[in-house]
Amino acid sequence: MAAFHFELVSPERLIFSGEVEQVVVPGSEGVFTVLRNHAPMMSTIRPGVIEVTSATGPSKLFVRGGFADVSEKGLTILAEQAIPVSELDGAKIDADLRAAEEDVEDASTDAARDAAMLRADQLRAMRSALQS
């Protein structure tokens, strides 16, 4: 397969920058695969797993959301948060999910309830990433 440039950036740091063969992205309108010479496009990203295939082999990263930009230069993903799937802690995710679900029940305003529901949904996506 022909390689192209891929960068994955979070607010804290540059997570990955290098040549890859393909990247599978959980777009908000559906999962899409980027290969070399992909047509330019932009997409929001829903919480899920990005699958990267490079010369060194496949890797999976959980992203909490963000934006993907495909251009003639390659693919850039600006992620709210990105964590290698291998570093996800199931017990911590379960505890955080229980707390988020309690926050939904205890919310006194619509805004607080919406924020807690968003957090719970993101944690469910994380939990799902562990099972895939």
Side-chain angles (χ1 to χ4, degrees):
M1 258 187 200
F4 65 95
H5 190 74
F6 169 56
E7 286 191 347
L8 176 59
V9 182
S10 75
E12 296 85 29
R13 63 187 172 100
L14 175 65
I15 295 168
F16 179 88
S17 179
E19 300 300 305
V20 299
E21 295 171 358
Q22 78 174 21
V23 181
V24 179
V25 182
S28 58
E29 298 295 319
V31 174
F32 61 93
T33 301
V34 178
L35 300 168
R36 183 173 181 202
N37 296 324
H38 192 287
M41 66 174 276
M42 290 189 80
S43 176
T44 54
I45 299 173
R46 63 178 166 73
V49 176
I50 292 177
E51 298 178 35
V52 181
T53 303
S54 66
T56 60
S59 60
K60 293 183 178 185
L61 299 122
F62 176 82
V63 291
R64 212 172 78 186
F67 297 93
D69 179 22
V70 182
S71 70
E72 66 279 350
K73 295 179 183 179
L75 170 63
T76 301
I77 292 181
L78 306 173
E80 291 177 26
Q81 179 184 36
I83 305 166
V85 170
S86 61
E87 294 179 14
L88 293 176
D89 179 348
K92 180 170 180 353
I93 293 169
D94 289 341
D96 290 348
L97 180 56
R98 283 191 298 277
E101 289 170 342
E102 287 176 12
D103 290 346
V104 170
E105 296 298 321
D106 296 340
S108 59
T109 66
D110 288 343
R113 185 175 299 100
D114 290 346
M117 288 174 67
L118 176 62
R119 179 75 177 134
D121 289 344
Q122 291 170 340
L123 289 162
R124 285 186 196 98
M126 257 188 204
R127 171 42 88 191
S128 175
L130 277 175
Q131 297 167 346
S132 62

